[in-house]
Amino acid sequence: MATVEPLAVTVQMTELLLATLCFVGSIPVSGEPMLTIDGVLPRLLLGSVIAWIGVTAMTSGANSVTDWWMIVSTDSVSIAEAIAAGDMAQIRGRVRPLRPDDTLISPLRNKTCVAYAYTISTVVQDAGDSSIDSGSKHRPFLISDGTAEIRVGPDADSLSLDMTTNRLTSNEEIIAQTDDERIALEPAADLSGIGDSTNAIELREGTLAVGETVTVVGKPATVPDDARTDADAVMTATESHLTVMNDDSDNTALRSVARGVFLLVLGLVLTVFAILVVTPAIPDLI
């Protein structure tokens, strides 16, 4: 969900939109259309691709708006109260792993945690960031507040991690912080010449550390009979809406609604654009 900052999402999606518009050729580039589309099949194929991107953007946007609404509309209660009510609630508690050895070590900052996400990108002035690599991993975990304990089973989309950014400029620093077997860099990500470049490398990582206080929005459910846990209830992303955040809930809500509105508008624009691309081909199909 929010392991990616809205600004980065905005830049990526805007670049996608501009590339699509230029590809279609309806927007002049330097006074001339980049491409003229002729024929029924090319228009149908291109329209279908644009429509798919638009629907995907709107779906993601709707999910982000739902995240925002769930955060702002749920009351913060104790874990025991949330379990007793059995409805959507916002709870806070300290994180501990299911078992002492059921933890992760984050690849950039080497923090003991139950979830992490990272991105490595080249910072290009006036051109945004160019992604080199990214990754994430998570484990189920327990949270408790002294009144009760809940087992939380997140997925990648339900995590909203507070990201720490570090910019590196020397080759030695970059190699030292990325020479880790847990960071599976893409084959094209050749870092050997970065030390001679004027572009900095940005390392961003968010973790959900053991012992950290976390806020969870979700619906408690009964512990399954086959679950190996002594928790009083469970919250999972598969059973109902789930948001796990270790930063300020108001900030998370603001990021979610900003991202959601942007993606909804972008998806609507692309969907309308797809209709305009396909429309001239309809008479030939009738």
Side-chain angles (χ1 to χ4, degrees):
M1 177 176 75
T3 56
V4 179
E5 291 293 333
L7 179 59
V9 174
T10 300
V11 170
Q12 293 170 2
M13 296 303 288
T14 302
E15 289 175 349
L16 175 63
L17 174 59
L18 292 176
T20 303
L21 291 174
C22 290
F23 178 74
V24 169
S26 296
I27 300 299
V29 178
S30 300
E32 294 294 334
M34 186 175 180
L35 179 64
T36 300
I37 302 174
D38 294 317
V40 176
L41 185 58
R43 281 188 173 274
L44 290 177
L45 290 175
L46 183 58
S48 299
V49 171
I50 298 174
W52 177 79
I53 295 173
V55 171
T56 301
M58 286 192 290
T59 301
S60 181
N63 290 337
S64 293
V65 171
T66 300
D67 292 337
W68 163 77
W69 176 246
M70 289 297 180
I71 293 172
V72 300
S73 64
T74 52
D75 296 326
S76 181
V77 298
S78 70
I79 296 179
E81 290 174 322
I83 295 173
D87 205 352
M88 291 294 299
Q90 186 173 146
I91 58 175
R92 286 174 60 83
R94 290 194 176 275
V95 174
R96 73 179 181 90
L98 297 182
R99 298 181 301 276
D101 60 344
D102 196 12
T103 58
L104 302 167
I105 302 297
S106 67
L108 298 183
R109 293 188 293 156
N110 292 312
K111 293 190 67 173
T112 302
C113 58
V114 293
Y116 68 75
Y118 72 89
T119 61
I120 303 174
S121 57
T122 304
V123 181
V124 183
Q125 188 174 5
D126 300 327
D129 295 349
S130 177
S131 178
I132 295 176
D133 188 53
S134 63
S136 64
K137 206 169 185 179
H138 56 273
R139 293 269 196 272
F141 60 91
L142 301 169
I143 66 166
S144 61
D145 63 355
T147 67
E149 190 170 58
I150 281 186
R151 182 185 188 273
V152 180
D155 59 14
D157 292 333
S158 64
L159 290 169
S160 176
L161 303 180
D162 186 20
M163 304 294 282
T164 298
T165 302
N166 187 19
R167 286 195 177 187
L168 309 176
T169 56
S170 74
N171 196 43
E172 291 76 13
E173 287 180 316
I174 295 165
I175 296 300
Q177 292 206 34
T178 58
D179 186 17
D180 192 305
E181 61 182 9
R182 288 161 294 170
I183 303 176
L185 291 174
E186 296 293 334
D190 182 11
L191 300 179
S192 60
I194 286 179
D196 300 326
S197 173
T198 57
N199 297 327
I201 294 296
E202 186 173 85
L203 308 179
R204 302 180 67 250
E205 183 180 76
T207 60
L208 187 57
V210 174
E212 184 176 2
T213 299
V214 64
T215 301
V216 180
V217 177
K219 183 178 181 180
T222 305
V223 178
D225 295 335
D226 58 349
R228 298 180 178 180
T229 177
D230 56 357
D232 301 294
V234 297
M235 281 184 176
T236 64
T238 56
E239 295 295 331
S240 63
H241 175 86
L242 183 69
T243 301
V244 180
M245 47 193 162
N246 63 350
D247 56 354
D248 182 74
S249 59
D250 291 336
N251 291 337
T252 300
L254 183 61
R255 290 200 303 267
S256 295
V257 72
R259 179 178 184 271
V261 170
F262 172 78
L263 290 176
L264 285 172
V265 172
L266 177 63
L268 179 61
V269 170
L270 288 174
T271 302
V272 172
F273 199 66
I275 295 173
L276 295 177
V277 170
V278 173
T279 299
I282 293 178
D284 294 331
L285 297 175
I286 299 177

